[in-house]
PDB file of all heavy atoms in Angstrom:
ATOM      1  N   ILE T  37       0.538  38.132  29.049  1.00  0.00           N
ATOM      2  CA  ILE T  37       0.144  39.532  28.968  1.00  0.00           C
ATOM      3  C   ILE T  37      -0.137  40.128  30.316  1.00  0.00           C
ATOM      4  O   ILE T  37       0.196  41.238  30.675  1.00  0.00           O
ATOM      5  CB  ILE T  37      -0.968  39.723  27.946  1.00  0.00           C
ATOM      6  CG1 ILE T  37      -0.495  39.349  26.547  1.00  0.00           C
ATOM      7  CG2 ILE T  37      -1.568  41.069  28.011  1.00  0.00           C
ATOM      8  CD1 ILE T  37      -1.609  39.309  25.533  1.00  0.00           C
ATOM      9  N   ASN T  38      -1.000  39.299  31.104  1.00  0.00           N
ATOM     10  CA  ASN T  38      -1.334  39.740  32.427  1.00  0.00           C
ATOM     11  C   ASN T  38      -0.175  39.932  33.349  1.00  0.00           C
ATOM     12  O   ASN T  38      -0.023  40.882  34.146  1.00  0.00           O
ATOM     13  CB  ASN T  38      -2.312  38.799  33.064  1.00  0.00           C
ATOM     14  CG  ASN T  38      -3.717  38.927  32.452  1.00  0.00           C
ATOM     15  OD1 ASN T  38      -4.069  39.868  31.863  1.00  0.00           O
ATOM     16  ND2 ASN T  38      -4.548  37.812  32.542  1.00  0.00           N
ATOM     17  N   SER T  39       0.834  38.974  33.260  1.00  0.00           N
ATOM     18  CA  SER T  39       2.042  39.099  34.004  1.00  0.00           C
ATOM     19  C   SER T  39       2.842  40.277  33.626  1.00  0.00           C
ATOM     20  O   SER T  39       3.371  41.049  34.489  1.00  0.00           O
ATOM     21  CB  SER T  39       2.860  37.787  33.886  1.00  0.00           C
ATOM     22  OG  SER T  39       2.190  36.636  34.211  1.00  0.00           O
ATOM     23  N   GLN T  40       2.843  40.578  32.325  1.00  0.00           N
ATOM     24  CA  GLN T  40       3.595  41.764  31.822  1.00  0.00           C
ATOM     25  C   GLN T  40       3.011  43.031  32.358  1.00  0.00           C
ATOM     26  O   GLN T  40       3.698  43.920  32.897  1.00  0.00           O
ATOM     27  CB  GLN T  40       3.550  41.653  30.309  1.00  0.00           C
ATOM     28  CG  GLN T  40       4.456  42.730  29.611  1.00  0.00           C
ATOM     29  CD  GLN T  40       4.343  42.556  28.092  1.00  0.00           C
ATOM     30  OE1 GLN T  40       3.363  42.733  27.508  1.00  0.00           O
ATOM     31  NE2 GLN T  40       5.473  42.301  27.424  1.00  0.00           N
ATOM     32  N   ASN T  41       1.678  43.087  32.237  1.00  0.00           N
ATOM     33  CA  ASN T  41       0.988  44.303  32.761  1.00  0.00           C
ATOM     34  C   ASN T  41       1.194  44.466  34.295  1.00  0.00           C
ATOM     35  O   ASN T  41       1.340  45.536  34.801  1.00  0.00           O
ATOM     36  CB  ASN T  41      -0.453  44.218  32.417  1.00  0.00           C
ATOM     37  CG  ASN T  41      -0.770  44.307  30.861  1.00  0.00           C
ATOM     38  OD1 ASN T  41       0.134  44.918  30.203  1.00  0.00           O
ATOM     39  ND2 ASN T  41      -1.827  43.766  30.451  1.00  0.00           N
ATOM     40  N   LEU T  42       1.051  43.278  34.968  1.00  0.00           N
ATOM     41  CA  LEU T  42       1.165  43.342  36.396  1.00  0.00           C
ATOM     42  C   LEU T  42       2.584  43.774  36.872  1.00  0.00           C
ATOM     43  O   LEU T  42       2.782  44.587  37.797  1.00  0.00           O
ATOM     44  CB  LEU T  42       0.889  41.991  36.995  1.00  0.00           C
ATOM     45  CG  LEU T  42       0.950  41.783  38.532  1.00  0.00           C
ATOM     46  CD1 LEU T  42      -0.100  42.716  39.212  1.00  0.00           C
ATOM     47  CD2 LEU T  42       0.708  40.394  39.009  1.00  0.00           C
ATOM     48  N   LEU T  43       3.618  43.314  36.111  1.00  0.00           N
ATOM     49  CA  LEU T  43       4.957  43.673  36.401  1.00  0.00           C
ATOM     50  C   LEU T  43       5.210  45.114  36.166  1.00  0.00           C
ATOM     51  O   LEU T  43       5.891  45.803  36.984  1.00  0.00           O
ATOM     52  CB  LEU T  43       5.975  42.791  35.596  1.00  0.00           C
ATOM     53  CG  LEU T  43       7.448  43.010  35.888  1.00  0.00           C
ATOM     54  CD1 LEU T  43       7.760  42.666  37.345  1.00  0.00           C
ATOM     55  CD2 LEU T  43       8.284  42.104  34.962  1.00  0.00           C
ATOM     56  N   VAL T  44       4.647  45.634  35.094  1.00  0.00           N
ATOM     57  CA  VAL T  44       4.786  47.112  34.774  1.00  0.00           C
ATOM     58  C   VAL T  44       4.190  47.916  35.886  1.00  0.00           C
ATOM     59  O   VAL T  44       4.689  48.900  36.341  1.00  0.00           O
ATOM     60  CB  VAL T  44       4.132  47.403  33.423  1.00  0.00           C
ATOM     61  CG1 VAL T  44       4.072  48.861  33.152  1.00  0.00           C
ATOM     62  CG2 VAL T  44       4.977  46.764  32.271  1.00  0.00           C
ATOM     63  N   LYS T  45       2.954  47.467  36.309  1.00  0.00           N
ATOM     64  CA  LYS T  45       2.281  48.260  37.354  1.00  0.00           C
ATOM     65  C   LYS T  45       3.041  48.187  38.689  1.00  0.00           C
ATOM     66  O   LYS T  45       3.140  49.130  39.410  1.00  0.00           O
ATOM     67  CB  LYS T  45       0.862  47.656  37.583  1.00  0.00           C
ATOM     68  CG  LYS T  45      -0.034  47.944  36.440  1.00  0.00           C
ATOM     69  CD  LYS T  45      -1.434  47.346  36.677  1.00  0.00           C
ATOM     70  CE  LYS T  45      -2.445  47.720  35.578  1.00  0.00           C
ATOM     71  NZ  LYS T  45      -3.712  47.132  35.794  1.00  0.00           N
ATOM     72  N   ASN T  46       3.617  46.959  38.985  1.00  0.00           N
ATOM     73  CA  ASN T  46       4.458  46.880  40.180  1.00  0.00           C
ATOM     74  C   ASN T  46       5.737  47.742  40.075  1.00  0.00           C
ATOM     75  O   ASN T  46       6.100  48.384  41.133  1.00  0.00           O
ATOM     76  CB  ASN T  46       4.876  45.407  40.386  1.00  0.00           C
ATOM     77  CG  ASN T  46       3.716  44.530  40.796  1.00  0.00           C
ATOM     78  OD1 ASN T  46       2.729  45.085  41.310  1.00  0.00           O
ATOM     79  ND2 ASN T  46       3.822  43.231  40.629  1.00  0.00           N
ATOM     80  N   GLU T  47       6.288  47.819  38.907  1.00  0.00           N
ATOM     81  CA  GLU T  47       7.476  48.569  38.686  1.00  0.00           C
ATOM     82  C   GLU T  47       7.121  50.071  38.817  1.00  0.00           C
ATOM     83  O   GLU T  47       7.908  50.844  39.375  1.00  0.00           O
ATOM     84  CB  GLU T  47       8.130  48.312  37.350  1.00  0.00           C
ATOM     85  CG  GLU T  47       9.514  48.864  37.189  1.00  0.00           C
ATOM     86  CD  GLU T  47      10.538  48.225  38.193  1.00  0.00           C
ATOM     87  OE1 GLU T  47      10.296  47.043  38.489  1.00  0.00           O
ATOM     88  OE2 GLU T  47      11.542  48.818  38.496  1.00  0.00           O
ATOM     89  N   TYR T  48       5.933  50.446  38.350  1.00  0.00           N
ATOM     90  CA  TYR T  48       5.455  51.806  38.421  1.00  0.00           C
ATOM     91  C   TYR T  48       5.267  52.157  39.911  1.00  0.00           C
ATOM     92  O   TYR T  48       5.604  53.214  40.349  1.00  0.00           O
ATOM     93  CB  TYR T  48       4.169  51.932  37.678  1.00  0.00           C
ATOM     94  CG  TYR T  48       3.351  53.186  38.016  1.00  0.00           C
ATOM     95  CD1 TYR T  48       3.796  54.446  37.793  1.00  0.00           C
ATOM     96  CD2 TYR T  48       2.183  53.059  38.717  1.00  0.00           C
ATOM     97  CE1 TYR T  48       3.030  55.565  38.099  1.00  0.00           C
ATOM     98  CE2 TYR T  48       1.368  54.138  39.044  1.00  0.00           C
ATOM     99  CZ  TYR T  48       1.857  55.442  38.782  1.00  0.00           C
ATOM    100  OH  TYR T  48       1.125  56.512  39.187  1.00  0.00           O
ATOM    101  N   ALA T  49       4.697  51.266  40.683  1.00  0.00           N
ATOM    102  CA  ALA T  49       4.527  51.469  42.133  1.00  0.00           C
ATOM    103  C   ALA T  49       5.839  51.688  42.825  1.00  0.00           C
ATOM    104  O   ALA T  49       5.935  52.587  43.693  1.00  0.00           O
ATOM    105  CB  ALA T  49       3.676  50.319  42.730  1.00  0.00           C
ATOM    106  N   ALA T  50       6.836  50.866  42.490  1.00  0.00           N
ATOM    107  CA  ALA T  50       8.186  51.049  43.076  1.00  0.00           C
ATOM    108  C   ALA T  50       8.809  52.378  42.765  1.00  0.00           C
ATOM    109  O   ALA T  50       9.379  53.088  43.595  1.00  0.00           O
ATOM    110  CB  ALA T  50       9.071  49.855  42.664  1.00  0.00           C
ATOM    111  N   ASN T  51       8.655  52.805  41.478  1.00  0.00           N
ATOM    112  CA  ASN T  51       9.168  54.037  41.075  1.00  0.00           C
ATOM    113  C   ASN T  51       8.500  55.190  41.738  1.00  0.00           C
ATOM    114  O   ASN T  51       9.138  56.258  42.089  1.00  0.00           O
ATOM    115  CB  ASN T  51       9.057  54.222  39.533  1.00  0.00           C
ATOM    116  CG  ASN T  51       9.933  53.244  38.768  1.00  0.00           C
ATOM    117  OD1 ASN T  51      10.894  52.785  39.278  1.00  0.00           O
ATOM    118  ND2 ASN T  51       9.587  53.056  37.522  1.00  0.00           N
ATOM    119  N   GLN T  52       7.135  55.021  41.920  1.00  0.00           N
ATOM    120  CA  GLN T  52       6.456  56.072  42.566  1.00  0.00           C
ATOM    121  C   GLN T  52       6.865  56.245  44.022  1.00  0.00           C
ATOM    122  O   GLN T  52       6.909  57.364  44.534  1.00  0.00           O
ATOM    123  CB  GLN T  52       4.880  55.747  42.614  1.00  0.00           C
ATOM    124  CG  GLN T  52       4.243  56.000  41.180  1.00  0.00           C
ATOM    125  CD  GLN T  52       4.094  57.509  40.935  1.00  0.00           C
ATOM    126  OE1 GLN T  52       5.111  58.225  40.796  1.00  0.00           O
ATOM    127  NE2 GLN T  52       2.891  57.984  40.837  1.00  0.00           N
ATOM    128  N   PHE T 262       2.217  57.022  34.360  1.00  0.00           N
ATOM    129  CA  PHE T 262       3.387  56.511  33.686  1.00  0.00           C
ATOM    130  C   PHE T 262       2.980  56.270  32.203  1.00  0.00           C
ATOM    131  O   PHE T 262       1.763  56.180  31.917  1.00  0.00           O
ATOM    132  CB  PHE T 262       3.893  55.195  34.328  1.00  0.00           C
ATOM    133  CG  PHE T 262       2.890  54.058  34.108  1.00  0.00           C
ATOM    134  CD1 PHE T 262       3.056  53.145  33.016  1.00  0.00           C
ATOM    135  CD2 PHE T 262       1.858  53.829  35.029  1.00  0.00           C
ATOM    136  CE1 PHE T 262       2.191  52.067  32.972  1.00  0.00           C
ATOM    137  CE2 PHE T 262       1.011  52.732  34.859  1.00  0.00           C
ATOM    138  CZ  PHE T 262       1.214  51.855  33.863  1.00  0.00           C
ATOM    139  N   GLN T 264       4.903  54.619  28.255  1.00  0.00           N
ATOM    140  CA  GLN T 264       6.096  53.979  27.582  1.00  0.00           C
ATOM    141  C   GLN T 264       6.443  54.669  26.313  1.00  0.00           C
ATOM    142  O   GLN T 264       5.592  55.066  25.572  1.00  0.00           O
ATOM    143  CB  GLN T 264       5.828  52.452  27.328  1.00  0.00           C
ATOM    144  CG  GLN T 264       5.587  51.644  28.532  1.00  0.00           C
ATOM    145  CD  GLN T 264       5.409  50.174  28.262  1.00  0.00           C
ATOM    146  OE1 GLN T 264       5.870  49.732  27.259  1.00  0.00           O
ATOM    147  NE2 GLN T 264       4.798  49.420  29.228  1.00  0.00           N
ATOM    148  N   LEU T 273      10.149  52.978  30.332  1.00  0.00           N
ATOM    149  CA  LEU T 273       8.980  53.234  31.216  1.00  0.00           C
ATOM    150  C   LEU T 273       9.247  54.565  31.814  1.00  0.00           C
ATOM    151  O   LEU T 273      10.211  54.703  32.558  1.00  0.00           O
ATOM    152  CB  LEU T 273       8.800  52.148  32.156  1.00  0.00           C
ATOM    153  CG  LEU T 273       7.673  52.354  33.219  1.00  0.00           C
ATOM    154  CD1 LEU T 273       6.349  52.345  32.541  1.00  0.00           C
ATOM    155  CD2 LEU T 273       7.751  51.283  34.346  1.00  0.00           C
ATOM    156  N   THR T 275       7.910  57.275  34.565  1.00  0.00           N
ATOM    157  CA  THR T 275       7.032  57.505  35.641  1.00  0.00           C
ATOM    158  C   THR T 275       7.129  58.974  36.036  1.00  0.00           C
ATOM    159  O   THR T 275       8.257  59.551  36.129  1.00  0.00           O
ATOM    160  CB  THR T 275       7.393  56.628  36.894  1.00  0.00           C
ATOM    161  OG1 THR T 275       7.478  55.268  36.450  1.00  0.00           O
ATOM    162  CG2 THR T 275       6.364  56.751  37.958  1.00  0.00           C
ATOM    163  N   ILE T 295      12.819  45.744  32.925  1.00  0.00           N
ATOM    164  CA  ILE T 295      11.633  45.332  33.654  1.00  0.00           C
ATOM    165  C   ILE T 295      11.228  43.953  33.186  1.00  0.00           C
ATOM    166  O   ILE T 295      10.775  43.076  33.965  1.00  0.00           O
ATOM    167  CB  ILE T 295      10.486  46.298  33.382  1.00  0.00           C
ATOM    168  CG1 ILE T 295      10.840  47.726  33.806  1.00  0.00           C
ATOM    169  CG2 ILE T 295       9.166  45.894  34.052  1.00  0.00           C
ATOM    170  CD1 ILE T 295       9.886  48.803  33.427  1.00  0.00           C
ATOM    171  N   TYR T 296      11.432  43.690  31.842  1.00  0.00           N
ATOM    172  CA  TYR T 296      10.876  42.408  31.241  1.00  0.00           C
ATOM    173  C   TYR T 296      11.944  41.273  31.497  1.00  0.00           C
ATOM    174  O   TYR T 296      11.719  40.153  30.831  1.00  0.00           O
ATOM    175  CB  TYR T 296      10.611  42.571  29.775  1.00  0.00           C
ATOM    176  CG  TYR T 296       9.447  43.419  29.466  1.00  0.00           C
ATOM    177  CD1 TYR T 296       9.062  43.971  28.265  1.00  0.00           C
ATOM    178  CD2 TYR T 296       8.516  43.724  30.526  1.00  0.00           C
ATOM    179  CE1 TYR T 296       8.048  44.736  27.982  1.00  0.00           C
ATOM    180  CE2 TYR T 296       7.393  44.446  30.286  1.00  0.00           C
ATOM    181  CZ  TYR T 296       7.208  44.980  29.029  1.00  0.00           C
ATOM    182  OH  TYR T 296       6.011  45.750  28.727  1.00  0.00           O
TER     183      TYR T 296
END
Side-chain angles (χ1 to χ4, degrees):
I37 293 173
N38 288 339
S39 299
Q40 191 179 58
N41 294 334
L42 182 61
L43 185 61
V44 170
K45 289 180 179 179
N46 290 339
E47 194 65 27
Y48 162 68
N51 292 340
Q52 283 289 64
F262 69 95
Q264 295 185 23
L273 174 68
T275 307
I295 302 172
Y296 289 166

